[in-house]
Amino acid sequence: MTKERYISILNQIKESGGEIDMGKPNDSVLLVDGMNLFIRVFSAIPTTNEDGIHVGGIVGFLRSLAYSINMIRPTRTIVVFDGKGGSNRRRKIFPQYKMGRKMSYRLNRAHDFLTREEEQKMMIRQLNRVVEYLECLPITILNIENCEADDVIGYLSKHIFNDSDTTILSTDKDFLQLVDNNTRVFSPTKKKMYDEAKVFDEYGIHPKNFLLFRMFDGDKSDGIPGVNGIGQKTLVKLFPFMETDEQYTLDDIYRSAETQKNPLCERVLQSKDLLDLNKQLMDLEDGIIGGQTKLKIKEIVERPIQRLIKHRFQTMFLEDKMYQALPNLNSWLATTFNRMNHLAEETHNEN
């Protein structure tokens, strides 16, 4: 614990007459795009344990999660993974969705001797182990069958925690469409917290209209085509109302395009089918998950939050021989998770 944080805690104690008001579990919620985080750290971190076995995916995930928690100081953390068959719903609408996406060969640069098959097995083993570690921590894990993490996070931020101070942890810029007065997005690669002003500064488009921009832009990684010749700057030039904080729709775009004598506006009108399709594929606020799935998500997040299971976490840590990666484990657990564990305990007392 840093000197500054220690002094801050002492000041809080003095001001509160000896007690710190930790708030309620849903006051400040951190939503973590689990697979996005895991793939990034597995690719970048070459850490091995004492036996020389690569554990970068595990160590990197835990370190990045802890860094974000200590920076953001949420009262609750929810890690969301893609469910089995998560892409199926979109593939029914657009069969090419994510069909071209393949894990790059020799993803982890520190282990170039691995074949692609060996590396895939290593990824799966480490990802499963990450989940086992998470099950020991005072957090909620969501893995909903036939749902992608993006849709679950969108539903949580806009419909479950819409009155909470919410932060989404992901490098995926699709989440910027969810940014509003209560919701921010933290990009761990850019080390940048996106609020409404930051989104506008970088893209020249208000978050309320960011989805419209993404419909035109498409998403190469998911195989979603955009509208050729109409990039960010051209889009704002043709439709300057996208800079404002009023939310607009594709119909507004079409009506504006019809009034302009511009060949690019003709292209917009000729791309109606593509843009309407992209809205279905890319809208995270009003996504494609069904009513029963929404009820299931709500039921899971309303359960008592898992308490910290310190002895189990320590046992796995010893089994994985990661002493050098996290040398002060007890201090790391206490600094990062004690506050959330206290709040998790409250959810058990309420039931």
Side-chain angles (χ1 to χ4, degrees):
M1 182 179 293
T2 65
K3 180 180 178 181
E4 290 79 10
R5 180 171 295 165
Y6 179 74
I7 293 172
S8 175
I9 291 173
L10 288 179
N11 288 336
Q12 289 180 58
I13 293 173
K14 291 177 182 177
E15 291 171 4
S16 62
E19 294 183 0
I20 299 177
D21 182 8
M22 294 188 178
K24 299 295 182 183
N26 293 339
D27 286 349
S28 174
V29 182
L30 173 62
L31 303 176
V32 180
D33 184 356
M35 201 63 186
N36 178 277
L37 173 56
F38 176 77
I39 290 176
R40 179 175 60 82
V41 296
F42 182 88
S43 305
I45 298 179
T47 303
T48 58
N49 67 7
E50 289 195 351
D51 293 334
I53 298 172
H54 178 254
V55 290
I58 303 171
V59 171
F61 194 102
L62 294 174
R63 280 179 175 171
S64 187
L65 179 65
Y67 172 86
S68 301
I69 289 172
N70 287 321
M71 177 190 67
I72 297 166
R73 302 298 291 164
T75 53
R76 180 174 191 180
T77 297
I78 300 176
V79 180
V80 186
F81 292 100
D82 295 324
K84 182 180 179 182
S87 300
N88 291 345
R89 293 175 186 268
R90 283 183 170 81
R91 282 184 181 155
K92 288 180 181 179
I93 302 171
F94 182 60
Q96 291 78 29
Y97 180 68
K98 289 188 177 180
M99 292 302 289
R101 178 181 287 190
K102 294 181 180 179
M103 195 66 66
S104 60
Y105 183 60
R106 292 178 178 176
L107 179 63
N108 192 288
R109 298 185 298 274
H111 291 266
D112 284 346
F113 60 87
L114 293 176
T115 65
R116 179 170 181 166
E117 182 179 355
E118 289 170 335
E119 188 170 63
Q120 291 281 358
K121 288 180 179 179
M122 179 184 288
M123 284 191 71
I124 292 170
R125 185 191 72 80
Q126 289 192 42
L127 180 59
N128 288 335
R129 195 59 164 170
V130 163
V131 173
E132 290 181 30
Y133 276 106
L134 294 178
E135 289 174 341
C136 301
L137 299 174
I139 64 174
T140 301
I141 305 170
L142 280 174
N143 178 28
I144 307 296
E145 190 170 352
N146 295 319
C147 280
E148 294 187 73
D150 297 21
D151 294 307
V152 176
I153 291 172
Y155 179 67
L156 289 171
S157 69
K158 289 298 185 180
H159 300 283
I160 301 294
F161 300 115
N162 50 302
D163 292 327
S164 303
D165 179 12
T166 304
T167 304
I168 298 168
L169 173 65
S170 180
T171 62
D172 189 345
K173 66 180 179 182
D174 280 334
F175 286 120
L176 298 181
Q177 66 181 270
L178 302 174
V179 171
D180 58 24
N181 288 332
N182 297 325
T183 303
R184 305 173 299 170
V185 175
F186 179 69
S187 171
T189 52
K190 295 181 179 180
K191 294 290 189 291
K192 190 171 184 178
M193 183 70 77
Y194 286 94
D195 56 13
E196 290 183 327
K198 287 284 174 53
V199 173
F200 183 81
D201 288 345
E202 186 163 327
Y203 293 94
I205 294 170
H206 194 276
K208 287 184 179 179
N209 297 306
F210 196 82
L211 174 59
L212 285 175
F213 159 60
R214 293 295 287 147
M215 293 176 205
F216 279 87
D217 194 38
D219 191 330
K220 290 182 180 179
S221 66
D222 289 342
I224 300 174
V227 179
N228 291 331
I230 302 182
Q232 171 193 338
K233 292 182 179 179
T234 301
L235 191 62
V236 174
K237 186 176 180 180
L238 291 173
F239 311 109
F241 53 76
M242 292 183 64
E243 296 178 315
T244 68
D245 62 358
E246 183 176 344
Q247 188 167 7
Y248 290 88
T249 67
L250 280 175
D251 286 337
D252 296 317
I253 293 284
Y254 300 149
R255 280 192 290 269
S256 178
E258 288 169 353
T259 66
Q260 301 184 53
K261 293 182 179 180
N262 187 316
L264 289 176
C265 287
E266 287 297 322
R267 185 175 299 173
V268 170
L269 295 173
Q270 291 167 4
S271 303
K272 280 187 177 183
D273 289 344
L274 172 63
L275 291 167
D276 291 345
L277 173 64
N278 284 0
K279 182 182 188 307
Q280 293 183 67
L281 296 173
M282 306 180 85
D283 190 345
L284 300 182
E285 180 174 351
D286 186 20
I288 58 177
I289 56 179
Q292 289 299 317
T293 301
K294 292 176 181 177
L295 289 173
K296 183 176 182 180
I297 294 170
K298 190 172 186 293
E299 187 271 326
I300 292 173
V301 299
E302 288 179 350
R303 294 174 188 171
I305 301 169
Q306 169 65 53
R307 301 180 180 95
L308 175 65
I309 310 175
K310 187 175 179 181
H311 65 89
R312 183 176 162 194
F313 192 101
Q314 290 171 323
T315 299
M316 290 194 299
F317 184 81
L318 293 173
E319 291 172 352
D320 292 335
K321 299 181 180 180
M322 299 193 303
Y323 327 114
Q324 298 302 318
L326 294 171
N328 300 308
L329 180 62
N330 288 334
S331 174
W332 180 84
L333 284 171
T335 302
T336 308
F337 297 105
N338 271 3
R339 177 169 176 256
M340 287 197 301
N341 191 50
H342 175 82
L343 291 163
E345 189 67 44
E346 288 188 3
T347 65
H348 290 265
N349 296 334
E350 292 170 359
N351 288 271

